[in-house]
Amino acid sequence: MEMQQRKENSATVVSVKGRIDAVSAPEFEKALEDLISRGEKLLVIDFGELDYISSAGLRTILATTKKLKGMEGKLFLASLKEVVKEVFDISGFSSIIPIHGSVEVALAEL
Amino acid sequence: MKPTSLLTLPAKLENLERFMDLVSAFASEMGFSGKRVQEVQLAVEEALVNVINYAYPEGTPDDVEVRCSADEEGRGIIEIRDRGIPFDGTSLSDPELDAPISERKVGGMGVYLIRKMANEVRYRREGDANILTLAFAGNRGK
């Protein structure tokens, strides 16, 4: 898993490449926690180059979304590949986490 | 010649990648699509993580074995075997998928994903072993 971050006005875009599995999910979670503790509350997670996610990754997304909700922040997902989208659909997460077709659309919706 | 492979390693997170490589190579050899290979990996990861986290009480680490073969119908059969405390994931009920976000939990999601990704899931206790058998056709089909 590789991560990159960039600021877009008041939002932070986190691009994740590769795999979020039980091994890499803690690193992903730590990166999001660090952003939140620095005061970043509007997060767009760009999954355009994410090939794989397991329940460990879902757990991170859920925990981060709950945390942000308590502080009027938002977490949007963008550009999910088919297999990653499928995991969100099957788990029912698609109905509770906003998912957008592209980072640009997500930023406009924040 | 149908592909058969076997890997036995200590039930530790650091070994997950080697199991994933084995399963990925096996599913590819079965002629599965790239998407289906990922689905097979997902089911096996969730099963292995359950073994790694819960099968062996702290201080008594032991092995987990993954065995891949094909059945007569051309399905990929993946058996995950441990010698830990008895655990039948197939007996768990499905998580509440439409609960509001404040009440959503990820517990139980692993077993649910296994059920959705595999075409068939069977559990048996044999002596001191838990044996979870997952069957995969070329498509998830549900």
Side-chain angles (χ1 to χ4, degrees):
Chain A
M1 182 189 67
E2 287 173 40
M3 280 178 292
Q4 281 188 343
Q5 300 172 7
R6 69 172 199 272
K7 283 289 282 183
E8 288 278 349
N9 299 319
S10 57
T12 303
V13 178
V14 181
S15 304
V16 192
K17 189 175 176 178
R19 301 165 66 89
I20 301 179
D21 58 15
V23 175
S24 58
E27 189 191 336
F28 176 51
E29 183 148 357
K30 170 125 194 352
L32 297 182
E33 274 171 5
D34 287 350
L35 280 172
I36 293 171
S37 65
R38 290 209 306 269
E40 302 297 335
K41 291 192 292 189
L42 299 176
L43 306 182
V44 173
I45 315 292
D46 175 7
F47 276 168
E49 291 188 84
L50 188 75
D51 299 317
Y52 176 95
I53 192 165
S54 67
S55 69
L58 294 181
R59 187 185 305 269
T60 299
I61 297 288
L62 183 65
T64 307
T65 300
K66 281 183 175 175
K67 195 176 292 175
L68 284 168
K69 210 166 181 154
M71 47 202 289
E72 289 175 11
K74 285 180 188 169
L75 181 149
F76 284 3
L77 302 178
S79 312
L80 277 60
K81 286 188 180 179
E82 192 187 353
V83 131
V84 172
K85 177 74 164 57
E86 181 183 60
V87 176
F88 279 87
D89 288 343
I90 288 173
S91 61
F93 273 47
S94 301
S95 57
I96 51 172
I97 314 279
I99 297 177
H100 295 284
S102 72
V103 171
E104 289 66 31
V105 173
L107 286 169
E109 293 284 328
L110 270 176
Chain B
M1 181 70 189
K2 287 174 177 168
T4 305
S5 46
L6 170 76
L7 182 63
T8 307
L9 289 169
K12 292 182 175 175
L13 212 45
E14 67 207 48
N15 290 323
L16 184 64
E17 192 178 347
R18 286 186 60 194
F19 285 116
M20 289 296 100
D21 288 346
L22 174 91
V23 162
S24 167
F26 167 73
S28 303
E29 249 180 278
M30 292 291 296
F32 290 175
S33 68
K35 175 166 179 273
R36 190 62 177 142
V37 172
Q38 306 254 23
E39 293 172 351
V40 173
Q41 284 196 352
L42 178 61
V44 176
E45 174 185 330
E46 300 297 347
L48 285 172
V49 167
N50 279 342
V51 172
I52 292 165
N53 288 340
Y54 306 115
Y56 301 113
E58 220 148 308
T60 63
D62 209 330
D63 290 346
V64 59
E65 177 185 291
V66 173
R67 188 187 295 243
C68 308
S69 60
D71 70 5
E72 309 77 32
E73 300 165 39
R75 297 186 307 174
I77 305 296
I78 300 185
E79 244 180 42
I80 295 135
R81 192 183 280 253
D82 67 78
R83 295 182 179 283
I85 53 175
F87 173 68
D88 178 6
T90 63
S91 66
L92 298 183
S93 54
D94 286 348
E96 273 187 62
L97 296 185
D98 50 5
I101 191 161
S102 55
E103 292 162 27
R104 286 300 299 261
K105 297 188 185 75
V106 177
M109 193 54 75
V111 167
Y112 183 68
L113 288 172
I114 295 171
R115 241 176 245 163
K116 294 304 231 180
M117 294 302 170
N119 300 85
E120 196 184 335
V121 182
R122 289 190 307 268
Y123 167 84
R124 68 182 194 276
R125 181 83 182 169
E126 208 175 88
D128 63 352
N130 292 306
I131 302 165
L132 187 69
T133 306
L134 311 178
F136 298 94
N139 285 296
R140 202 157 67 77
K142 57 192 159 183

